[in-house]
Amino acid sequence: MRLHVLQSDIPKPERFTYPFCYEPHPLCILAAEEVKREIERIQPSEGKMFGVLVVEVKQRDGSFVTSPGVTKEPSLCYMAAYSGLLEGRNDWPYFVPPVFDAQQHDGYFKQTEREISIMSHHSPLTSKKMSQDLQLWLFHQYRMLNARGEEKDLVDIWQDYHCSPRIRRRYPLPPGGTGDCCAPKLLQYAYQHDLKPLCMAEFWWGPPPKSEVRHHGQFYPACRGKCKPVLTWMLQGLDVDPSPDAHGFPHLAVEIVWEDETIAVLNKPSGMLSIPGRTEDYSIATWAQQRWPGSQPAHRLDMWTSGIILVAKTQEAYHHLQRQFEEHTIKKRYLAVVEGTPKAEHGIIDLPLLCDPINRPRQVVDYEHGKRAITEYRVLTPPNLLALWPHTGRTHQLRMHCAHPDGLGCPIKGDELYGRKADRLYLQAQAISFVHPITGRKMHFELPNEFDNITHY
């Protein structure tokens, strides 16, 4: 039984979920609670991403119900899916089937896999070529539908989405496992059975993977690397919530903490970019350019991180500050409000980080290929307020070091990537020390604690 009746008077959403940034609709939360009971019955041995899709079922006359209570026929139902395999299987009756079943023992895929395994001992080059051909064949078997009833295979979807020649050369084919995540499975099943998708959500269940930050029971957006091209195609024909990025961001006020003829010390508000983004050009860089033509930020802060950022007004000052950052002589202190309390009052976190190439901008812990990242921390008062000193400057370093189980295991409050959403990211670049690029004087700037007036962290 893949379609499950959802008994609820909760109003339906006006538009379908934008899967890459959303708040779970109450109908999805209700459906997820039922799915969790089924997962507990199975008791999987590993952590896994699960998804729910709430759909509307056509009535006998071929129409969809527009108002609750006008029919006794079940109108709202939900389906569930898991990413990849669950306990080595893809045929659990409660969940939707895969888009294409490559696990059949006597199927072409498994038979060719066995041939390749035998061939690898005798002719590695031939084995590699066979493996590449098999992967290409597999991608062609995933024929994905959209809400208009149109169909494309994964290769065409991928190449149409990545129209840039540079990206095509680097990623000519989708990553392995594309099409096997929750969202594509759920939408494919809905389209195949003439069901109307209403809302969707995905959540993690079980222990976290070693490299990533995932919290048991927490909802997450769809992955961008594998799923963004596929879902962009599959959602065509649905009325979907707009991407938050498409709205742009408010033009927030920037405080000048201190300036002279060559540098400026600014207080960047949370929610403002350091440099222009893909869809938004208002940033610290453009703000500074309007006031001091030729200026540019000497470093960056994440959009949702507030606090001190240095701007060089001349090329000489910029290159001098860049050398100081490269030599790690500039010292910065951050304040962060975290979820939970670290076990030790003071310590050093040393976890190597690597960008997840198929799910940017997320970072993963990678002891083989990652770059070394070191953070010093101290617990302040109250005990979930921390001072953080980054000894290196990796992307998302503080956020990952706080959230990862091998770090503090305490995500920064409001961290949508590695923790839970809140009104903002509770991370402030509070203090900085550096040498003035022209005068050679030692400079130190410190902002008031932005979180000092918050009574409940």
Side-chain angles (χ1 to χ4, degrees), residues 109 130-140 173-177:
F109 185 81
M130 289 177 64
S131 193
Q132 291 171 340
D133 290 343
L134 181 62
Q135 185 67 70
L136 181 61
W137 175 87
L138 182 62
F139 287 143
H140 283 305
L173 292 174

Side-chain angles (χ1 to χ4, degrees), residues 58-211:
K58 276 188 178 179
Q59 302 302 292
R60 292 173 185 172
D61 62 0
S63 65
F64 291 104
V65 175
T66 57
S67 301
V70 301
T71 177
K72 291 185 179 179
E73 295 182 50
S75 58
L76 283 186
C77 294
Y78 73 90
M79 300 170 295
Y82 47 83
S83 290
L85 302 176
L86 180 62
E87 298 298 288
R89 292 172 50 184
N90 64 6
D91 60 351
W92 293 91
Y94 186 90
F95 299 91
V96 300
V99 175
F100 177 76
D101 186 3
Q103 299 300 311
Q104 297 179 21
H105 182 76
D106 295 327
Y108 175 78
F109 185 81
K110 283 297 182 183
Q111 286 186 20
T112 309
E113 262 195 338
R114 291 191 286 271
E115 292 175 16
I116 292 172
S117 179
I118 295 170
M119 183 68 67
S120 64
H121 299 292
H122 307 292
S123 178
L125 289 178
T126 303
S127 171
K128 182 179 180 180
K129 177 64 168 57
M130 289 177 64
S131 193
Q132 291 171 340
D133 290 343
L134 181 62
Q135 185 67 70
L136 181 61
W137 175 87
L138 182 62
F139 287 143
H140 283 305
Q141 309 314 304
Y142 282 75
R143 304 195 61 81
M144 316 304 292
L145 298 167
N146 64 18
R148 298 177 182 142
E150 300 165 332
E151 186 180 71
K152 272 187 184 180
D153 69 40
L154 284 181
V155 176
D156 287 341
I157 289 172
W158 185 263
Q159 294 183 348
D160 288 348
Y161 182 84
H162 292 296
C163 53
S164 161
R166 180 180 62 85
I167 297 196
R168 275 201 183 186
R169 284 194 299 270
R170 189 172 181 183
Y171 302 110
L173 292 174
T178 300
D180 288 325
C181 295
C182 300
K185 284 183 178 180
L186 290 166
L187 287 171
Q188 185 82 350
Y189 190 85
Y191 295 148
Q192 288 172 335
H193 294 83
D194 204 17
L195 304 168
K196 181 181 179 181
L198 296 178
C199 52
M200 182 168 59
E202 297 181 52
F203 62 93
W204 181 264
W205 189 265
K210 291 183 178 180
S211 61

